[in-house]
Amino acid sequence: MSVNAAPPPFRRVLPIIEIALLVFALPLPWVLDDFWVLFATKICILALLALSFDLVWGYAGIMSFGQALFFGVAGYVTALLATKSGVTSIFALMPVAAFVGLVLAFVVAVIVIFGKRIPSVIFVALGTLTGSYAVERLARGWSWVGGQNGISSLPRLTAGSFEIEEGIVFFYIALGILVATYVLMRLLVRSQFGLVLTGIRQQEARIAFFGYQVQSYKGVVFTLSGLIAGVSGGLFAFHEGFIGPGQLGPVLSTQAVLYVLFGGAGTLIGAVLGVAIIELISYVLPQFTWLGETVTAFLETGWPVVLGLLLLGTVMFRPTGLIGLLVSDRERVGSFGKAARAAPPQKSQASHEPA
Amino acid sequence: MSLLEVRGLTKIYGSLTALKDARMTVTGNEFHGLIGPNGSGKSTLLKCIAGAELPSGGTVHLSGRDITRATPPERSRAGMSLKFQITAILPQLSVYDNLLLALQAHDPMLALIASRTRGRLHDEVMELLTRFGLADRRDQLAGFLSHGQQQWLEIAMALSRKPKLLLLDEPTAGMSPQERRATGDLLGPIKARCSLLIVEHDLDFIKDICDSLTVLDQGEVVASGRTDDVQNDPRVKEAYLAHG
């Protein structure tokens, strides 16, 4: 009976999607015009922000409304270094962005996550939201960092004597950082550490009785997510040539949440897809002219309503996001042991491996 | 020397005194049963020992160390393990991964990030799976196991870190007679390695496997000692008869 009830061994779809997307992205600058290359670069950069939220929510069950805080502050710090101190080297600024995000996330984690008892989801959500909100207000009122206007006309990033222009080179840098981050994150979430995160997501209280310091795991994940969001913010500032209070606050934080919920939390590729699709829809909807004048006129200003309904529908009817249409639950959760890696006929081979 | 020492444990919920001055001792390599009528406070006592509830008064010592207010991970590291009544397996993970998760619990985080203990723990996982008759189901999702098999998986998980004391809350609840017998057979051999504190409704099961018993009634310890002595204690008979 129970053998029949068991699900069939799952088909691996995720690697196919991942490789297909990479193959799709690699030649983009050679087929797209300048505007779309900038657009694709922005998607790569925002995908990093979405990945940072996916790591905390999709893998560790931490609802953070503060990802823009790490993104924006890293953007501001690197922008200030460039405009006030003349530092433009990518090799200096990107590590700084990562470090700023990491430190800031650690500080927030100390306040809302670390502690003797496990904090509730809503406490962490409100704590991070408050942080994001407060820092946005601070930036708006602080003239040294540009106040309402933020910091604009940033110089270009440099690598040695080479100036990194927005366009093909910047696209490949952003894509390269995205792919590298993605691969490292994938290793992390499929490691034994990732197994603990799965446990925390499913049975947080019980995992503590095994001997796991749940808060330490959550704190580490949260801090790492700050690092990723920081890199994203640094790249964003120099790609747009601008950073402002809007990139610090709850609006962008919420956008990160929506990217991931729409694409599919708990799969890394879902976060990337979420960004690409939402950004494309946001661009295409206002200029949609196929359905007659009335619709066009409505969409010109009313497009966010359509987008909102689309997101709401997805979250309601597809809690696993768009990726849930393609990927089984079993594959999404994955397997972590050595046994799962060896194919069944090779059982004897497994036993020969050193203990 | 006593392994677990409970002294003067009291638990008050609002106006209800669930436990009053409870005291008991579990020695090394002993199977100790905790029995009593419904509402007698045995689950509360077990939860206070496990750290799922904090007592209002009294102390709990494990191997001479005061763990009354220790967090669950601290208790686990001190050698305590538990299996509660509510299922604690992770239904969306394979049987194998459930055990791996329990086994690697005390490994340093960096080792887990690098997956450095995966190879070493493989043999231990397979040995436990074989011992608990789950080896051929290792790649199955734990949520698809039968009720009895889920209970065994949980016991295997609770034993994986080689605890000194294992707390079991009604391990045979909802099991068929065959599964009960099999559970008794599975528990027997662990006496060489660890002590057991077990809450159970099935008195026959308890009498078969326990060396000593503690009987609770209305939040108080009525009797505690060798199984044979306690069974013949007139106060115990009265407590059980009075409540039907």
Short mmCIF file of all heavy atoms in Angstrom, two decimals, chain A residues 2-3 5 7 116 190-193 195-196 202-203 206-212 217 220 330 333 335-339 341 355, chain B residues 50 71 73 76-77 82 88-90 92-93 96-97 101 104-106 109 112-113 115-118 123 137-139 141 144 157:
data_model
loop_
_atom_site.label_atom_id
_atom_site.label_comp_id
_atom_site.label_asym_id
_atom_site.label_seq_id
_atom_site.Cartn_x
_atom_site.Cartn_y
_atom_site.Cartn_z
N SER A 2 1.70 1.33 1.04
CA SER A 2 2.47 2.55 1.18
C SER A 2 3.47 2.70 0.03
O SER A 2 3.83 3.81 -0.33
CB SER A 2 3.22 2.56 2.52
OG SER A 2 3.99 1.40 2.63
N VAL A 3 3.86 1.57 -0.56
CA VAL A 3 4.77 1.66 -1.71
C VAL A 3 4.04 2.32 -2.87
O VAL A 3 4.58 3.18 -3.56
CB VAL A 3 5.28 0.26 -2.10
CG1 VAL A 3 6.10 0.34 -3.38
CG2 VAL A 3 6.11 -0.32 -0.97
N ALA A 5 1.58 4.36 -2.60
CA ALA A 5 1.27 5.75 -2.26
C ALA A 5 2.48 6.66 -2.46
O ALA A 5 2.34 7.86 -2.55
CB ALA A 5 0.80 5.84 -0.82
N PRO A 7 5.35 8.83 -4.01
CA PRO A 7 5.40 9.54 -5.28
C PRO A 7 6.49 8.94 -6.15
O PRO A 7 7.46 8.39 -5.63
CB PRO A 7 5.77 10.97 -4.85
CG PRO A 7 6.49 10.80 -3.57
CD PRO A 7 5.94 9.58 -2.91
N LYS A 116 17.40 34.53 23.03
CA LYS A 116 17.25 33.22 23.64
C LYS A 116 16.04 32.48 23.07
O LYS A 116 16.06 31.28 22.87
CB LYS A 116 17.12 33.35 25.16
CG LYS A 116 18.01 32.34 25.84
CD LYS A 116 18.07 32.51 27.33
CE LYS A 116 18.44 31.16 27.88
NZ LYS A 116 19.15 30.77 28.85
N ARG A 190 21.86 23.57 -0.93
CA ARG A 190 21.84 22.13 -1.14
C ARG A 190 22.83 21.41 -0.22
O ARG A 190 23.03 20.22 -0.34
CB ARG A 190 22.16 21.81 -2.60
CG ARG A 190 21.04 22.16 -3.54
CD ARG A 190 19.98 21.06 -3.59
NE ARG A 190 18.71 21.57 -4.06
CZ ARG A 190 17.63 21.75 -3.28
NH1 ARG A 190 17.68 21.46 -2.00
NH2 ARG A 190 16.51 22.21 -3.75
N SER A 191 23.47 22.17 0.67
CA SER A 191 24.45 21.56 1.57
C SER A 191 23.74 21.02 2.81
O SER A 191 22.52 21.13 2.94
CB SER A 191 25.49 22.60 2.00
OG SER A 191 24.86 23.54 2.86
N GLN A 192 24.50 20.47 3.72
CA GLN A 192 23.93 20.03 5.00
C GLN A 192 23.34 21.21 5.76
O GLN A 192 22.39 21.07 6.50
CB GLN A 192 25.01 19.36 5.85
CG GLN A 192 25.39 17.97 5.37
CD GLN A 192 26.51 17.39 6.20
OE1 GLN A 192 27.68 17.68 5.97
NE2 GLN A 192 26.18 16.59 7.19
N PHE A 193 23.93 22.38 5.56
CA PHE A 193 23.39 23.62 6.13
C PHE A 193 21.98 23.86 5.57
O PHE A 193 21.06 24.22 6.30
CB PHE A 193 24.33 24.77 5.77
CG PHE A 193 23.95 26.12 6.32
CD1 PHE A 193 24.38 26.52 7.56
CD2 PHE A 193 23.19 27.00 5.56
CE1 PHE A 193 24.05 27.77 8.07
CE2 PHE A 193 22.84 28.25 6.06
CZ PHE A 193 23.28 28.63 7.32
N LEU A 195 19.96 21.64 4.57
CA LEU A 195 19.06 20.68 5.20
C LEU A 195 18.52 21.24 6.51
O LEU A 195 17.33 21.11 6.83
CB LEU A 195 19.80 19.35 5.44
CG LEU A 195 19.07 18.27 6.22
CD1 LEU A 195 17.77 17.86 5.52
CD2 LEU A 195 19.96 17.03 6.39
N VAL A 196 19.39 21.88 7.28
CA VAL A 196 18.95 22.50 8.54
C VAL A 196 17.91 23.58 8.25
O VAL A 196 16.88 23.68 8.93
CB VAL A 196 20.13 23.09 9.33
CG1 VAL A 196 19.65 23.68 10.65
CG2 VAL A 196 21.20 22.05 9.56
N GLN A 202 10.19 23.96 8.17
CA GLN A 202 9.04 23.06 8.36
C GLN A 202 8.67 22.86 9.82
O GLN A 202 7.50 22.72 10.14
CB GLN A 202 9.34 21.69 7.72
CG GLN A 202 9.43 21.76 6.21
CD GLN A 202 9.68 20.41 5.59
OE1 GLN A 202 9.40 19.37 6.19
NE2 GLN A 202 10.21 20.39 4.39
N GLN A 203 9.64 22.77 10.71
CA GLN A 203 9.34 22.42 12.10
C GLN A 203 10.31 23.15 13.02
O GLN A 203 11.10 22.54 13.73
CB GLN A 203 9.53 20.91 12.35
CG GLN A 203 8.65 20.02 11.55
CD GLN A 203 7.52 19.46 12.39
OE1 GLN A 203 7.24 19.94 13.49
NE2 GLN A 203 6.86 18.44 11.90
N ARG A 206 10.71 22.15 16.73
CA ARG A 206 11.20 20.79 16.94
C ARG A 206 12.71 20.70 16.70
O ARG A 206 13.42 19.95 17.37
CB ARG A 206 10.44 19.85 16.00
CG ARG A 206 10.73 18.38 16.21
CD ARG A 206 10.25 17.93 17.57
NE ARG A 206 10.59 16.54 17.86
CZ ARG A 206 11.78 16.16 18.28
NH1 ARG A 206 12.73 17.04 18.48
NH2 ARG A 206 12.03 14.89 18.54
N ILE A 207 13.18 21.46 15.70
CA ILE A 207 14.59 21.42 15.33
C ILE A 207 15.47 21.82 16.51
O ILE A 207 16.55 21.29 16.71
CB ILE A 207 14.84 22.37 14.14
CG1 ILE A 207 14.09 21.88 12.92
CG2 ILE A 207 16.30 22.51 13.83
CD1 ILE A 207 14.48 20.53 12.48
N ALA A 208 14.97 22.74 17.33
CA ALA A 208 15.75 23.18 18.49
C ALA A 208 15.99 22.01 19.44
O ALA A 208 17.05 21.93 20.06
CB ALA A 208 15.01 24.31 19.21
N PHE A 209 15.05 21.10 19.52
CA PHE A 209 15.21 19.96 20.44
C PHE A 209 16.25 18.96 19.94
O PHE A 209 16.71 18.11 20.69
CB PHE A 209 13.87 19.27 20.69
CG PHE A 209 12.97 20.05 21.60
CD1 PHE A 209 11.95 20.82 21.11
CD2 PHE A 209 13.17 20.01 22.98
CE1 PHE A 209 11.13 21.55 21.96
CE2 PHE A 209 12.37 20.73 23.83
CZ PHE A 209 11.34 21.51 23.32
N PHE A 210 16.55 19.01 18.64
CA PHE A 210 17.66 18.17 18.14
C PHE A 210 18.99 18.73 18.60
O PHE A 210 20.00 18.04 18.56
CB PHE A 210 17.69 18.15 16.60
CG PHE A 210 16.56 17.39 15.98
CD1 PHE A 210 16.12 17.72 14.71
CD2 PHE A 210 15.95 16.34 16.64
CE1 PHE A 210 15.09 17.02 14.12
CE2 PHE A 210 14.92 15.64 16.06
CZ PHE A 210 14.48 15.98 14.79
N GLY A 211 19.02 20.00 19.01
CA GLY A 211 20.26 20.62 19.44
C GLY A 211 20.69 21.78 18.55
O GLY A 211 21.78 22.32 18.72
N TYR A 212 19.85 22.14 17.56
CA TYR A 212 20.22 23.26 16.69
C TYR A 212 19.92 24.60 17.36
O TYR A 212 18.84 24.76 17.93
CB TYR A 212 19.46 23.20 15.37
CG TYR A 212 19.89 22.09 14.47
CD1 TYR A 212 19.07 20.99 14.25
CD2 TYR A 212 21.13 22.14 13.84
CE1 TYR A 212 19.47 19.95 13.40
CE2 TYR A 212 21.53 21.12 13.00
CZ TYR A 212 20.70 20.03 12.78
OH TYR A 212 21.09 19.02 11.96
N TYR A 217 21.35 30.06 13.09
CA TYR A 217 21.21 29.75 11.66
C TYR A 217 20.48 30.88 10.94
O TYR A 217 20.87 31.31 9.87
CB TYR A 217 20.48 28.42 11.48
CG TYR A 217 21.40 27.24 11.65
CD1 TYR A 217 21.67 26.72 12.90
CD2 TYR A 217 22.03 26.68 10.55
CE1 TYR A 217 22.54 25.66 13.07
CE2 TYR A 217 22.90 25.63 10.69
CZ TYR A 217 23.16 25.11 11.96
OH TYR A 217 24.03 24.09 12.11
N VAL A 220 22.71 33.97 10.62
CA VAL A 220 23.74 33.83 9.58
C VAL A 220 23.11 34.02 8.19
O VAL A 220 23.65 34.74 7.34
CB VAL A 220 24.43 32.46 9.69
CG1 VAL A 220 25.23 32.15 8.44
CG2 VAL A 220 25.33 32.42 10.92
N ARG A 330 8.52 18.04 -4.52
CA ARG A 330 9.62 17.18 -4.10
C ARG A 330 10.96 17.73 -4.58
O ARG A 330 11.95 17.73 -3.86
CB ARG A 330 9.38 15.76 -4.63
CG ARG A 330 10.53 14.83 -4.36
CD ARG A 330 10.13 13.68 -3.48
NE ARG A 330 11.28 13.20 -2.75
CZ ARG A 330 11.55 11.92 -2.53
NH1 ARG A 330 10.72 11.00 -2.95
NH2 ARG A 330 12.60 11.55 -1.85
N VAL A 333 11.88 21.02 -2.62
CA VAL A 333 12.48 20.76 -1.30
C VAL A 333 13.84 20.09 -1.49
O VAL A 333 14.82 20.43 -0.84
CB VAL A 333 11.56 19.88 -0.45
CG1 VAL A 333 12.23 19.53 0.87
CG2 VAL A 333 10.24 20.59 -0.20
N SER A 335 16.73 16.84 -2.02
CA SER A 335 17.27 15.85 -1.08
C SER A 335 18.73 16.19 -0.82
O SER A 335 19.39 16.84 -1.62
CB SER A 335 17.13 14.45 -1.66
OG SER A 335 17.60 14.42 -2.97
N PHE A 336 19.20 15.77 0.33
CA PHE A 336 20.46 16.28 0.84
C PHE A 336 21.51 15.20 1.12
O PHE A 336 22.66 15.48 1.29
CB PHE A 336 20.23 17.09 2.11
CG PHE A 336 19.33 18.27 1.88
CD1 PHE A 336 17.96 18.15 1.91
CD2 PHE A 336 19.88 19.50 1.59
CE1 PHE A 336 17.15 19.23 1.67
CE2 PHE A 336 19.08 20.59 1.35
CZ PHE A 336 17.71 20.46 1.40
N GLY A 337 21.04 13.96 1.24
CA GLY A 337 21.96 12.90 1.69
C GLY A 337 22.81 12.38 0.55
O GLY A 337 22.60 12.68 -0.61
N LYS A 338 23.77 11.60 0.96
CA LYS A 338 24.64 10.96 0.00
C LYS A 338 23.84 9.93 -0.79
O LYS A 338 24.06 9.75 -1.99
CB LYS A 338 25.75 10.27 0.78
CG LYS A 338 26.95 9.96 -0.03
CD LYS A 338 28.06 9.55 0.92
CE LYS A 338 28.82 8.40 0.33
NZ LYS A 338 29.84 7.91 1.23
N ALA A 339 22.92 9.25 -0.11
CA ALA A 339 22.15 8.18 -0.75
C ALA A 339 21.40 8.73 -1.95
O ALA A 339 21.29 8.08 -2.97
CB ALA A 339 21.17 7.58 0.23
N ARG A 341 22.23 10.90 -3.91
CA ARG A 341 23.08 11.29 -5.03
C ARG A 341 23.45 10.07 -5.86
O ARG A 341 23.59 10.15 -7.06
CB ARG A 341 24.35 11.96 -4.53
CG ARG A 341 24.02 13.04 -3.53
CD ARG A 341 25.24 13.82 -3.19
NE ARG A 341 24.96 15.23 -3.40
CZ ARG A 341 25.87 16.12 -3.67
NH1 ARG A 341 27.12 15.77 -3.76
NH2 ARG A 341 25.54 17.37 -3.84
N ALA A 355 34.60 6.01 4.72
CA ALA A 355 33.63 6.50 5.71
C ALA A 355 34.11 7.81 6.28
O ALA A 355 35.30 8.07 6.33
CB ALA A 355 33.45 5.48 6.82
N ALA B 50 11.58 18.19 29.76
CA ALA B 50 12.09 18.36 28.40
C ALA B 50 12.43 19.80 28.07
O ALA B 50 13.21 20.06 27.16
CB ALA B 50 11.05 17.85 27.40
N THR B 71 17.87 26.04 27.54
CA THR B 71 17.11 26.04 26.29
C THR B 71 17.15 24.64 25.68
O THR B 71 18.00 23.83 26.04
CB THR B 71 17.72 27.02 25.28
OG1 THR B 71 19.06 26.58 25.00
CG2 THR B 71 17.74 28.44 25.81
N PRO B 73 18.32 23.48 22.81
CA PRO B 73 19.62 23.04 22.31
C PRO B 73 20.60 22.71 23.44
O PRO B 73 21.38 21.76 23.33
CB PRO B 73 20.14 24.22 21.50
CG PRO B 73 18.98 25.10 21.25
CD PRO B 73 17.96 24.81 22.27
N SER B 76 19.77 19.32 24.72
CA SER B 76 20.20 18.30 23.77
C SER B 76 21.69 18.04 23.91
O SER B 76 22.14 16.89 23.92
CB SER B 76 19.87 18.77 22.35
OG SER B 76 20.53 17.99 21.40
N ARG B 77 22.46 19.10 24.06
CA ARG B 77 23.90 18.93 24.19
C ARG B 77 24.29 18.31 25.53
O ARG B 77 25.34 17.69 25.66
CB ARG B 77 24.62 20.28 24.01
CG ARG B 77 24.85 20.58 22.54
CD ARG B 77 24.95 22.05 22.25
NE ARG B 77 24.43 22.33 20.91
CZ ARG B 77 25.17 22.38 19.81
NH1 ARG B 77 26.46 22.20 19.88
NH2 ARG B 77 24.63 22.62 18.62
N LEU B 82 14.31 13.64 23.00
CA LEU B 82 12.91 13.38 23.28
C LEU B 82 12.10 13.10 22.03
O LEU B 82 12.49 13.45 20.92
CB LEU B 82 12.30 14.58 24.01
CG LEU B 82 12.46 15.92 23.33
CD1 LEU B 82 11.27 16.23 22.44
CD2 LEU B 82 12.58 17.00 24.39
N ALA B 88 7.00 14.75 14.84
CA ALA B 88 8.01 15.77 14.62
C ALA B 88 8.88 15.43 13.43
O ALA B 88 9.88 16.07 13.19
CB ALA B 88 8.87 15.93 15.86
N ILE B 89 8.49 14.41 12.67
CA ILE B 89 9.27 14.13 11.46
C ILE B 89 8.99 15.24 10.45
O ILE B 89 8.02 15.97 10.58
CB ILE B 89 8.88 12.77 10.85
CG1 ILE B 89 7.38 12.75 10.58
CG2 ILE B 89 9.31 11.64 11.74
CD1 ILE B 89 6.99 11.76 9.56
N LEU B 90 9.85 15.36 9.47
CA LEU B 90 9.65 16.37 8.43
C LEU B 90 9.08 15.65 7.22
O LEU B 90 9.80 14.97 6.50
CB LEU B 90 10.98 17.04 8.11
CG LEU B 90 11.50 17.76 9.35
CD1 LEU B 90 12.96 17.49 9.59
CD2 LEU B 90 11.21 19.23 9.28
N GLN B 92 8.08 16.37 4.32
CA GLN B 92 8.49 16.65 2.94
C GLN B 92 9.92 16.24 2.64
O GLN B 92 10.41 16.45 1.54
CB GLN B 92 8.33 18.14 2.64
CG GLN B 92 6.89 18.59 2.64
CD GLN B 92 6.78 20.08 2.42
OE1 GLN B 92 7.51 20.66 1.65
NE2 GLN B 92 5.86 20.72 3.11
N LEU B 93 10.61 15.70 3.66
CA LEU B 93 11.96 15.23 3.43
C LEU B 93 11.96 13.71 3.38
O LEU B 93 11.09 13.06 3.96
CB LEU B 93 12.89 15.70 4.55
CG LEU B 93 13.35 17.14 4.51
CD1 LEU B 93 14.20 17.45 5.74
CD2 LEU B 93 14.15 17.42 3.25
N TYR B 96 15.75 9.23 4.77
CA TYR B 96 17.20 9.38 4.94
C TYR B 96 17.55 10.78 5.45
O TYR B 96 18.29 10.95 6.42
CB TYR B 96 17.88 9.12 3.59
CG TYR B 96 19.39 9.15 3.63
CD1 TYR B 96 20.13 7.99 3.64
CD2 TYR B 96 20.09 10.36 3.67
CE1 TYR B 96 21.52 8.00 3.66
CE2 TYR B 96 21.47 10.40 3.70
CZ TYR B 96 22.17 9.21 3.70
OH TYR B 96 23.55 9.25 3.74
N ASP B 97 16.98 11.80 4.80
CA ASP B 97 17.32 13.18 5.17
C ASP B 97 16.83 13.53 6.58
O ASP B 97 17.47 14.30 7.29
CB ASP B 97 16.73 14.16 4.16
CG ASP B 97 17.49 14.12 2.83
OD1 ASP B 97 18.62 13.63 2.83
OD2 ASP B 97 16.94 14.58 1.82
N LEU B 101 19.43 14.88 9.32
CA LEU B 101 19.18 16.14 10.02
C LEU B 101 19.35 15.97 11.52
O LEU B 101 19.94 16.81 12.20
CB LEU B 101 17.76 16.63 9.70
CG LEU B 101 17.32 17.93 10.34
CD1 LEU B 101 18.18 19.08 9.88
CD2 LEU B 101 15.86 18.22 10.01
N GLN B 104 23.30 15.20 12.40
CA GLN B 104 24.31 16.25 12.24
C GLN B 104 24.07 17.43 13.18
O GLN B 104 24.78 18.43 13.10
CB GLN B 104 24.32 16.74 10.79
CG GLN B 104 23.02 17.42 10.39
CD GLN B 104 23.04 18.02 8.99
OE1 GLN B 104 23.77 17.56 8.12
NE2 GLN B 104 22.24 19.04 8.77
N ALA B 105 23.11 17.28 14.11
CA ALA B 105 22.66 18.44 14.89
C ALA B 105 23.77 19.08 15.72
O ALA B 105 23.71 20.27 16.00
CB ALA B 105 21.49 18.05 15.78
N HIS B 106 24.77 18.30 16.14
CA HIS B 106 25.79 18.89 17.00
C HIS B 106 27.06 19.26 16.23
O HIS B 106 28.04 19.67 16.82
CB HIS B 106 26.12 17.95 18.15
CG HIS B 106 24.96 17.77 19.10
ND1 HIS B 106 25.02 16.97 20.21
CD2 HIS B 106 23.71 18.27 19.07
CE1 HIS B 106 23.84 17.00 20.84
NE2 HIS B 106 23.05 17.77 20.15
N MET B 109 28.56 24.69 12.47
CA MET B 109 27.87 25.24 11.30
C MET B 109 28.76 25.26 10.06
O MET B 109 28.30 24.96 8.95
CB MET B 109 27.39 26.65 11.63
CG MET B 109 26.28 27.14 10.74
SD MET B 109 25.89 28.86 11.07
CE MET B 109 24.98 28.78 12.59
N LEU B 112 28.87 22.09 8.29
CA LEU B 112 27.63 21.83 7.56
C LEU B 112 27.57 22.64 6.27
O LEU B 112 27.08 22.16 5.25
CB LEU B 112 26.42 22.16 8.44
CG LEU B 112 26.27 21.31 9.70
CD1 LEU B 112 24.99 21.68 10.44
CD2 LEU B 112 26.25 19.83 9.37
N ILE B 113 28.08 23.87 6.31
CA ILE B 113 28.08 24.69 5.10
C ILE B 113 28.93 24.01 4.03
O ILE B 113 28.58 23.97 2.86
CB ILE B 113 28.61 26.10 5.41
CG1 ILE B 113 27.58 26.87 6.26
CG2 ILE B 113 28.91 26.87 4.12
CD1 ILE B 113 28.02 28.24 6.69
N SER B 115 29.40 20.89 3.88
CA SER B 115 28.92 19.50 3.78
C SER B 115 30.02 18.51 4.10
O SER B 115 30.18 17.49 3.46
CB SER B 115 28.36 19.21 2.38
OG SER B 115 27.14 19.86 2.20
N ARG B 116 30.80 18.81 5.12
CA ARG B 116 31.98 18.01 5.38
C ARG B 116 31.66 16.70 6.11
O ARG B 116 32.44 15.77 6.08
CB ARG B 116 33.00 18.83 6.19
CG ARG B 116 34.40 18.62 5.68
CD ARG B 116 35.42 19.41 6.46
NE ARG B 116 35.22 20.85 6.37
CZ ARG B 116 35.32 21.67 7.43
NH1 ARG B 116 35.61 21.18 8.62
NH2 ARG B 116 35.13 22.96 7.30
N THR B 117 30.50 16.63 6.79
CA THR B 117 30.22 15.40 7.55
C THR B 117 29.25 14.49 6.81
O THR B 117 28.88 13.44 7.31
CB THR B 117 29.64 15.73 8.94
OG1 THR B 117 28.44 16.47 8.78
CG2 THR B 117 30.62 16.55 9.76
N ARG B 118 28.82 14.87 5.60
CA ARG B 118 27.84 14.07 4.88
C ARG B 118 28.34 12.65 4.63
O ARG B 118 27.62 11.68 4.84
CB ARG B 118 27.50 14.77 3.56
CG ARG B 118 26.55 14.02 2.70
CD ARG B 118 25.66 14.92 1.87
NE ARG B 118 26.38 15.87 1.03
CZ ARG B 118 25.78 16.86 0.39
NH1 ARG B 118 24.49 17.04 0.48
NH2 ARG B 118 26.48 17.68 -0.35
N ASP B 123 27.22 6.21 6.90
CA ASP B 123 27.18 4.87 7.48
C ASP B 123 26.29 4.82 8.71
O ASP B 123 25.57 3.86 8.92
CB ASP B 123 28.60 4.41 7.84
CG ASP B 123 29.45 4.24 6.58
OD1 ASP B 123 28.84 4.11 5.50
OD2 ASP B 123 30.68 4.26 6.69
N ARG B 137 13.19 2.03 2.69
CA ARG B 137 12.33 3.19 2.45
C ARG B 137 13.11 4.49 2.53
O ARG B 137 12.55 5.56 2.69
CB ARG B 137 11.22 3.25 3.51
CG ARG B 137 10.44 1.99 3.63
CD ARG B 137 9.02 2.26 4.04
NE ARG B 137 8.26 1.04 4.02
CZ ARG B 137 7.49 0.68 3.01
NH1 ARG B 137 7.37 1.46 1.99
NH2 ARG B 137 6.84 -0.46 3.05
N ARG B 138 14.41 4.40 2.42
CA ARG B 138 15.21 5.58 2.72
C ARG B 138 14.93 6.77 1.80
O ARG B 138 15.07 7.90 2.21
CB ARG B 138 16.69 5.22 2.68
CG ARG B 138 17.17 4.82 1.29
CD ARG B 138 18.65 4.50 1.33
NE ARG B 138 19.15 4.48 -0.04
CZ ARG B 138 20.40 4.21 -0.34
NH1 ARG B 138 21.27 3.94 0.61
NH2 ARG B 138 20.79 4.21 -1.60
N ASP B 139 14.58 6.50 0.55
CA ASP B 139 14.34 7.63 -0.37
C ASP B 139 12.88 8.06 -0.42
O ASP B 139 12.52 8.98 -1.14
CB ASP B 139 14.83 7.27 -1.77
CG ASP B 139 16.34 7.18 -1.81
OD1 ASP B 139 17.00 7.90 -1.03
OD2 ASP B 139 16.87 6.36 -2.59
N LEU B 141 9.45 9.80 0.92
CA LEU B 141 9.17 10.95 1.77
C LEU B 141 8.62 10.45 3.11
O LEU B 141 7.76 9.56 3.14
CB LEU B 141 8.15 11.87 1.11
CG LEU B 141 8.61 12.64 -0.13
CD1 LEU B 141 7.54 13.62 -0.57
CD2 LEU B 141 9.92 13.35 0.13
N PHE B 144 4.94 9.82 3.82
CA PHE B 144 4.23 8.69 3.22
C PHE B 144 4.42 7.39 3.99
O PHE B 144 3.92 6.35 3.58
CB PHE B 144 4.68 8.49 1.77
CG PHE B 144 4.12 9.52 0.83
CD1 PHE B 144 4.85 10.65 0.50
CD2 PHE B 144 2.85 9.35 0.29
CE1 PHE B 144 4.32 11.60 -0.35
CE2 PHE B 144 2.32 10.30 -0.56
CZ PHE B 144 3.06 11.43 -0.89
N MET B 157 15.47 8.95 15.20
CA MET B 157 16.01 10.31 15.20
C MET B 157 16.38 10.74 16.62
O MET B 157 17.41 11.37 16.85
CB MET B 157 14.99 11.29 14.61
CG MET B 157 14.84 11.16 13.10
SD MET B 157 13.32 11.93 12.49
CE MET B 157 13.81 13.64 12.42
#
